Amino acid sequence: MPSPYRALFAAPGSKGFSAAGFVGRMPLSMMGIGVVTMVSQLTGRYGLAGALSAAIALAAALIGPQISRLVDQHGQRRVLRPATLVALAASAGLLAAAHFGWPDWVLFVCAAGIGSVPSLGAMIRARWAALYRGTPQLHTAYSFESVVDEVCFIFGPIISIGLSTAWFPEAGPLLAACFLAVGVFWLTSQRATEPEPHPRERRGVGSALRSPGLQVLVTTFVATGAIFGAVDVVTVAFADERGHKGAASVVLALYAAGSCLAGLVFGLLRLKRAPELRWLLGVLMMAVSMIPLLLVGNLPFLAVALFLAGLAIAPTMITTMSLIEEHVPRAQLTEGMTWISTGLAVGVALGSSIAGWVIDAAGAQAGYGVPAVSGAVAAAVGFLGYRRLSRPAPGRGGTVEHHSEREERHVA
């Protein structure tokens, strides 16, 4: 591991909460695809399987920010454990309902309950912010967490699908629930690194989403999520049309691998330009990278195009986390980070649904028009909201960039 990343873990407790966060985030990439695999195997109803996966994503998008808001007020331990128990009970109900063939409405009620799963990525980033706020190490920490996210998305679906197809249909979602339980209870047992809560009377009333800058970021990431959701669905259909459906997982893994590599390199850089400009350039690169997908004719070229497209993802996500620190008061940092995940989740659900309709009507090649249009929308929102991002919110936590500028002026 390069020295900037090694230096992160010199802080007491950092290894423990980072490891717990990795385990607890595996369900993020395992549960949805695991439910699709399980339900399709048990019932043969792909429409029901996809609807349940979308229900989980939308429920998490609605409930997640509220859980994170409570975390900001009362602390991680007091909120995450009860929320996780609800999600685990709902997961058990979904597995039982699918196994015993209970009515569809029971499946959807349980899927909605799984939406109470906490956003572990936001919880871990909040701990890093508490350790390194206002220092260059925070940029490296956010980069490291983006790499962890991509590793989860590379291996999570492979593990979930493999277990459900090779062992028994419920194995993938069952293991995802186990990862969630271990990760959350391990993390919340580490009290020394838990960020200080901010009770309502100390921070006032109102959602973090009232911040104009956060509104721009979340709206942009709805369109960005549509890119991700559409690329997943269309790539599976594209590979299926060419008689190599199994190769889709490898191609999508390369998409995540490109982001993982870019995140590692980005974390080693010491950047001086304003983060809002880097963010806008990242969104533009993500949009432009979708255009070659309209022209690919075979899987090898698609794999190369997606790997290159993935290079823009992690740097943009890392810069987004820095911008959240500028546009959300410190007392609402966890909620602000979770709103980004909410925007992505809503976008994934929309993108996958629209892409499915386009594929049914015009084929997989035409389906790549959905992420291309989504990228254009993200770029347009980024341009229109750019000026809002240049006006930080009062009471913000401070950013890596401001600290670096102060250090440089002091040295000069």
Side-chain angles (χ1 to χ4, degrees):
M1 186 179 292
S3 57
Y5 289 105
R6 288 201 306 269
L8 284 179
F9 297 99
S14 57
K15 293 179 182 177
F17 74 70
S18 182
F22 172 72
V23 174
R25 262 181 289 182
M26 285 298 289
L28 182 67
S29 62
M30 292 178 64
M31 184 61 78
I33 193 66
V35 168
V36 169
T37 307
M38 174 187 71
V39 173
S40 62
Q41 283 188 276
L42 291 173
T43 68
R45 299 167 62 187
Y46 283 91
L48 174 63
L52 287 171
S53 179
I56 293 172
L58 291 176
L62 292 172
I63 300 172
Q66 312 313 318
I67 292 175
S68 294
R69 190 176 182 185
L70 291 173
V71 167
D72 283 328
Q73 294 177 31
H74 304 293
Q76 293 186 0
R77 182 186 178 93
R78 291 182 62 187
V79 176
L80 295 189
R81 290 190 171 188
T84 299
L85 291 175
V86 172
L88 292 174
S91 300
L94 181 63
L95 296 181
H99 181 80
F100 294 108
W102 293 350
D104 289 354
W105 67 266
V106 178
L107 294 171
F108 281 99
V109 169
C110 293
I114 295 175
S116 64
V117 60
S119 176
L120 265 291
M123 306 304 158
I124 300 303
R125 287 177 172 90
R127 293 198 180 214
W128 284 122
L131 281 177
Y132 293 124
R133 180 174 285 111
T135 71
Q137 284 87 348
L138 187 56
H139 169 75
T140 307
Y142 285 162
S143 300
F144 178 78
E145 291 305 318
S146 290
V147 171
V148 173
D149 285 339
E150 297 304 336
V151 170
C152 290
F153 276 98
I154 290 172
F155 294 105
I158 295 173
I159 295 171
S160 187
I161 295 172
L163 287 176
S164 291
T165 55
W167 197 5
F168 56 92
E170 300 88 350
L174 178 60
L175 182 61
C178 292
F179 277 141
L180 175 65
V182 171
V184 169
F185 282 85
W186 185 11
L187 176 67
T188 53
S189 68
Q190 302 174 47
R191 304 298 299 276
T193 55
E194 181 177 344
E196 179 186 359
H198 300 268
R200 182 178 296 274
E201 61 268 19
R202 289 174 53 191
R203 70 175 185 85
V205 181
S207 169
L209 197 57
R210 296 173 64 182
S211 163
L214 184 60
Q215 291 170 8
V216 172
L217 296 173
V218 172
T219 305
T220 304
F221 272 84
V222 171
T224 302
I227 294 176
F228 300 154
V231 166
D232 285 352
V233 173
V234 180
T235 299
V236 172
F238 187 89
D240 192 21
E241 284 184 359
R242 282 148 184 79
H244 300 285
K245 187 175 183 180
S249 61
V250 178
V251 174
L252 291 174
L254 286 172
Y255 189 33
S259 178
C260 183
L261 176 62
L264 280 171
V265 174
F266 194 72
L268 300 176
L269 303 178
R270 289 291 172 259
L271 304 166
K272 299 179 182 178
R273 290 191 176 183
E276 57 268 20
L277 178 59
R278 289 204 309 272
W279 176 83
L280 182 59
L281 290 174
V283 172
L284 290 176
M285 289 175 63
M286 291 177 66
V288 171
S289 69
M290 293 296 104
I291 296 175
L293 303 183
L294 298 170
L295 307 175
V296 297
N298 55 58
L299 285 172
F301 282 111
L302 176 62
V304 172
L306 282 178
F307 177 81
L308 295 176
L311 296 176
I313 297 175
T316 307
M317 293 296 299
I318 295 162
T319 307
T320 299
M321 295 304 165
S322 295
L323 284 172
I324 290 173
E325 273 217 291
E326 286 202 3
H327 291 275
V328 174
R330 184 181 303 181
Q332 296 175 292
L333 181 60
T334 308
E335 181 191 349
M337 291 180 175
T338 305
W339 274 114
I340 296 297
S341 300
T342 293
L344 284 171
V346 171
V348 167
L350 291 174
S352 58
S353 299
I354 296 172
W357 297 335
V358 173
I359 292 167
D360 289 340
Q365 187 72 56
Y368 280 119
V370 177
V373 172
S374 300
V377 171
V381 174
F383 268 119
L384 294 174
Y386 177 73
R387 293 187 64 181
R388 289 189 178 189
L389 294 177
S390 63
R391 296 192 292 270
R396 65 188 187 274
T399 62
V400 173
E401 286 77 12
H402 287 171
H403 175 85
S404 298
E405 290 170 4
R406 287 197 301 269
E407 283 191 333
E408 288 163 5
R409 286 198 297 266
H410 177 72
V411 171

